[in-house]
């Protein structure tokens, strides 16, 4: 049996490709066009896993799938090989944010670690949003100021249109000649982090945002 090798955002990407295939089918695209859509989707999926074994490549191959039921079974099969978000304790979270003596923590018992790319929660008392992510094999966290009001726009994390809120964080980058220097990074991200985790398909921006914020 192959090991778990699929991340949440990768499975979301695969689901998005399947949606594109289904959409082309519903629009009665010519057979040659539909074949091209499937081939492109299949190639994109395989490119997500450059180190996949032959068994994993065979599992990921959707070129022979035809019906909605087959696609559903395909997604269910892949779901069994999801890499869960690392288990994290309340004590670990408190160590990540030592300046917050009365840190409000999320209910960790209600978190589905298999559908999580990043962990995030709000503290409405402080107008703070906390974000925790596994960066280069290490769990890191940042706190951001956020504006509770929401509006419709594109999320910087998942690139989807929906209810977003504005957040900003001060980077830890310093300049030797100017000890008072600071730089703030602002973003619009999904107001509902759970929804964002269900839609996010790549982590390039999340990674660069965390690295900029932490000054690494």
């Amino acid at each position: 049996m192959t090991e778990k090798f699929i991340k949440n955002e990768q499975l979301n990407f695969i689901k998005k490709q399947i949606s594109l295939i289904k959409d082309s089918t519903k629009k009665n695209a010519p057979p040659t066009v539909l074949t091209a859509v499937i081939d492109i989707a299949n190639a994109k999926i395989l490119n997500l896993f450059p180190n996949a074994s032959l068994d994993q490549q065979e599992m990921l191959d959707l070129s022979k799938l035809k019906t909605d039921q087959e696609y559903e079974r395909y997604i269910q099969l892949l779901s069994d090989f999801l890499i869960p978000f690392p288990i994290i304790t309340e004590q670990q979270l408190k160590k990540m944010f030592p300046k917050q003596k009365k840190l409000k923590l999320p209910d960790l018992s209600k978190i589905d670690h298999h559908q999580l790319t990043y962990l995030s929660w709000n503290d409405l008392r402080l107008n703070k949003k906390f974000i925790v992510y596994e960066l280069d094999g290490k769990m890191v966290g940042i706190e951001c100021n956020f504006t509770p009001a929401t509006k419709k726009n594109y999320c910087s994390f998942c690139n989807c249109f929906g209810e977003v809120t504005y957040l900003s964080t001060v980077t830890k980058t310093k300049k030797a000649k100017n000890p008072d220097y600071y730089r703030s990074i602002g973003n619009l991200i999904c107001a509902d982090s759970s929804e964002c985790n269900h839609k996010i398909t790549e982590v390039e921006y999340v990674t660069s945002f965390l690295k900029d914020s932490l000054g690494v």
Side-chain angles (χ1 to χ4, degrees):
M1 182 62 68
T2 188
E3 61 184 5
K4 296 181 184 295
F5 68 104
I6 303 173
K7 296 181 179 179
N8 173 67
E9 63 274 9
Q10 292 172 322
L11 185 62
N12 290 341
F13 180 89
I14 293 171
K15 290 177 180 178
K16 186 175 181 179
Q17 297 307 306
I18 290 175
S19 293
L20 292 173
I21 294 172
K22 289 182 177 180
D23 187 56
S24 296
T25 303
K26 290 178 181 178
K27 291 180 178 178
N28 295 316
T32 54
V33 173
L34 182 58
T35 298
V37 171
I38 293 173
D39 288 345
I40 291 172
N42 208 42
K44 287 182 176 180
I45 291 170
L46 291 175
N47 284 340
L48 286 178
F49 306 92
N51 300 317
S53 67
L54 291 177
D55 286 344
Q56 291 168 343
Q57 291 177 33
E58 184 177 351
M59 184 189 306
L60 292 165
D61 185 359
L62 53 64
S63 61
K64 297 179 181 179
L65 305 182
K66 302 295 182 184
T67 67
D68 286 353
Q69 289 76 17
E70 288 176 333
Y71 284 120
E72 288 176 7
R73 287 196 293 270
Y74 171 79
I75 290 297
Q76 185 57 54
L77 172 64
L78 297 187
S79 297
D80 292 337
F81 294 91
L82 273 172
I83 301 171
F85 188 80
I87 299 295
I88 193 165
T89 66
E90 292 186 356
Q91 193 60 33
Q92 287 174 306
L93 291 177
K94 290 177 180 178
K95 286 183 178 180
M96 287 184 187
F97 307 102
K99 293 182 180 179
Q100 296 297 337
K101 301 304 180 183
K102 296 182 179 180
L103 179 65
K104 178 185 177 182
L105 296 171
D107 187 346
L108 298 177
S109 66
K110 294 183 178 179
I111 294 174
D112 184 350
H113 288 77
H114 288 87
Q115 296 186 18
L116 209 60
T117 293
Y118 68 93
L119 173 64
S120 180
W121 71 97
N122 299 334
D123 188 332
L124 298 179
R125 303 167 305 161
L126 304 174
N127 283 346
K128 294 278 189 180
K129 176 180 283 290
F130 298 90
I131 298 173
V132 174
Y133 180 72
E134 186 177 22
L135 184 65
D136 297 332
K138 180 182 178 181
M139 297 300 292
V140 298
I142 62 169
E143 63 178 74
C144 310
N145 296 314
F146 85 102
T147 305
T150 60
K151 60 180 180 180
K152 292 276 189 175
N153 212 316
Y154 284 93
C155 170
S156 297
F157 285 8
C158 69
N159 293 312
C160 293
F161 189 79
E163 295 284 346
V164 297
T165 186
Y166 179 80
L167 64 82
S168 63
T169 184
V170 175
T171 72
K172 293 184 178 181
T173 303
K174 300 294 182 182
K175 287 188 175 181
K177 295 182 180 180
N178 185 0
D180 295 325
Y181 170 85
Y182 76 93
R183 182 167 66 93
S184 179
I185 304 176
N187 285 282
L188 293 174
I189 71 167
C190 285
D192 185 339
S193 296
S194 176
E195 182 180 350
C196 189
N197 272 286
H198 279 86
K199 297 186 297 186
I200 190 169
T201 57
E202 56 89 17
V203 294
E204 183 178 354
Y205 182 80
V206 176
T207 299
S208 64
F209 170 62
L210 266 291
K211 286 184 175 180
D212 281 349
S213 300
L214 295 168
V216 299

